[in-house]
Amino acid sequence: MDYAGVTGQWAVTVARRLHCRGIETPPPSIDETWVGTDLALYLRYRVGAHKLAARFRLDVDPSSGAWPTDADQFATAVFHALPAEPEPDPFVDERGYRWWSAAVPHIGLAAAVQSRRIVTIS
């Protein structure tokens, strides 16, 4: 997958800032964040008793739909875009997290979640 302009270094910076934000100002409480080799952002998080997970493309700011230019602002936008309730009929992974994505990859969420990672933060 090619997201024009997204680099691995920028993606890792966003993941680290998002993970820190989830630790410092929950809810939601972020359990794990990673960047896949598809340069998408993945995270497992909790809101109350709900075990949720999400995948975000890194080339579209979820708050504006524009091209993101600031990693900290993008991490904040992703944090605020996290659903607090499970989506209907989600993919549920082996750890019981219910997945959501605005842009499901062509290989499907199950395969994307299991694919290789550039960095994992937990």
Side-chain angles (χ1 to χ4, degrees), residues 37-66:
T37 55
D38 59 354
L39 292 180
L41 180 67
Y42 297 82
L43 59 143
R44 290 184 174 114
Y45 64 101
R46 297 172 190 261
V47 177
H50 297 298
K51 291 172 70 176
L52 305 170
R55 175 189 182 272
F56 287 89
R57 288 180 57 140
L58 290 167
D59 62 339
V60 178
D61 186 319
S63 65
S64 67

Side-chain angles (χ1 to χ4, degrees), residues 6-16 35 39 58 71 118-119:
V6 175
T7 66
Q9 181 178 5
W10 190 82
V12 169
T13 299
V14 170
R16 288 190 172 135
V35 176
L39 292 180
L58 290 167
I118 294 173
V119 67

Side-chain angles (χ1 to χ4, degrees), residues 80-97:
H80 290 298
L82 293 172
E85 296 284 328
E87 296 290 315
D89 301 319
F91 159 65
V92 179
D93 69 20
E94 73 281 352
R95 295 184 186 177
Y97 287 87

Side-chain angles (χ1 to χ4, degrees), residues 62-88:
S63 65
S64 67
W67 173 255
T69 56
D70 180 274
D72 194 47
Q73 288 177 351
F74 185 77
T76 298
V78 167
F79 186 80
H80 290 298
L82 293 172
E85 296 284 328
E87 296 290 315

Side-chain angles (χ1 to χ4, degrees), residues 1-27:
M1 189 161 294
D2 178 33
Y3 298 156
V6 175
T7 66
Q9 181 178 5
W10 190 82
V12 169
T13 299
V14 170
R16 288 190 172 135
R17 290 182 182 174
L18 177 62
H19 194 81
C20 287
R21 183 157 176 77
I23 291 169
E24 295 168 357
T25 60

